[in-house]
Amino acid sequence: MAFPSSVRLWEVGARDGLQNEKQAVPAAVKIELIERLVECGVAYIEAASFVSPKWVPQMADSAEVMAKLKRKPGVVYQALTPNLKGLEQAEASRLTDVAVFAAASESFSQRNINCSIAESLERFRPVCERALGHGLKVRGFVSCALGCPFEGAVAPAKVAEVAAALIEMGCYEVALGDTIGVGTPKAVKRALEACAARIPLSWVGVHFHDTYGQALANIYAALEEGIDAIDASVAGLGGCPYAPGATGNVATEDVVYMLNGLDIATGIDLDGLVKTAWWISDYLGRPPASRVARALAARLRPSVA
Ligand code: HMG
Ligand code: MG
């Protein structure tokens, strides 16, 4: 299949990235990060997470972030909503896009959302029904799509089964999460082939963490299959607090650099993105994980006072 001419690049740094930070990140910094990213041309952004604050304290100020954020028309702002309580908060925050997150591994489902895969799907059904009834759009995730921190290998058929269940209950797109970044291009192709047997691949996105340095190769493999929705995190921030050993998502700068080279449009200004990567990294007190951001540091790192 030919490469797509453009992709929807979902920036997840403010959620998947900051949810995993050890140090408290004030709402004002999260808001500035999101606004800077949008200024760079990011049009799809995971901005918040309405999960239990006991489970993920870093996201406890999501309502404040959404209340104070200056929203740009045309930009999609999305939040995670694991249950009806989360959806109600997202609606109160005037969000029109939410996401539910299932897993292809039983052990990870238990650790991450305290229920089995089947129970999670039963929990998501009323979330989807209510969201769709109120005119919201729901994206889905299948975590551990290429491997599980507790069970190891995950069957592509299980990934496809969970993805199809999420589509069936009304998700418009399902992102396959390599939660611990263990996958390789062959595993990507096998997971996508299994999905293609059940749902159109135009409804599938990829959400790869970069623990083993395979994420760009894996995205290239997905592009070869025609995938045109890619998740990434500025500066490579992130990880999942319930996935031991997982590092951040693939860095958005690295993805945009590769896509620019492939003539695949994202609408994102790479220089602005690199400046933003350095801005948040300097705030957090460590260099970006992104190779591109480090390569361009001499020209684009904002001066640190
Ligand atoms: P639970 O303890 O089984 O749920 O947690 P519960 O219904 O018994 O509620 C327990 C308490 O939490 C109650 O409070 C609820 O009110 C409260 P209490 O009565 O004890 O004071 N509560 C909530 N509070 C705020 N917002 C809510 C909410 N729901 C319940 N929405 C639950 C179940 C799903 C809530 C919990 O396990 C949870 O929040 N898990 C989220 C874990 C998480 O956020 N993980 C990271 C995101 S997923 C990820 O990173 C992977 C992804 O990036 C893709 C990939 O990389 O593969 C998406
Ligand atoms: Mg993730």
Side-chain angles (χ1 to χ4, degrees), residues 12 15-16 19 141 143 177-179 207-209 231 239-240 249:
V12 301
R15 193 281 302 173
D16 206 338
Q19 76 177 8
F141 287 97
S143 288
D178 186 5
T179 317
H207 173 107
F208 295 152
H209 289 252
D231 295 14
C240 175
N249 297 79

Side-chain angles (χ1 to χ4, degrees), residues 196-225:
R198 304 190 62 145
I199 52 178
L201 282 187
S202 55
W203 298 349
V204 175
V206 291
H207 173 107
F208 295 152
H209 289 252
D210 201 23
T211 318
Y212 287 78
Q214 303 296 301
L216 279 182
N218 291 345
I219 289 170
Y220 191 90
L223 289 167
E224 286 186 324
E225 301 302 315

Side-chain angles (χ1 to χ4, degrees), residues 248-285:
N249 297 79
V250 65
T252 317
E253 310 86 277
D254 295 1
V255 176
V256 171
Y257 182 89
M258 180 177 82
L259 294 175
N260 285 350
L262 292 168
D263 294 325
I264 298 174
T266 62
I268 298 173
D269 166 39
L270 181 63
D271 283 9
L273 194 59
V274 169
K275 286 181 192 164
T276 306
W278 274 105
W279 173 80
I280 188 66
S281 298
D282 283 332
Y283 175 82
L284 295 170

Side-chain angles (χ1 to χ4, degrees), residues 119-168:
E119 285 164 345
S120 75
L121 295 175
E122 280 318 302
R123 196 182 280 171
F124 297 150
R125 193 172 293 284
V127 174
C128 288
E129 267 168 22
R130 177 178 160 136
L132 297 179
H134 289 190
L136 279 71
K137 291 176 72 183
V138 189
R139 198 172 188 237
F141 287 97
V142 182
S143 288
C144 297
L146 305 181
C148 168
F150 311 107
E151 295 179 14
V154 168
K158 188 69 192 175
V159 177
E161 179 191 318
V162 177
L166 292 171
I167 292 289
E168 185 265 326

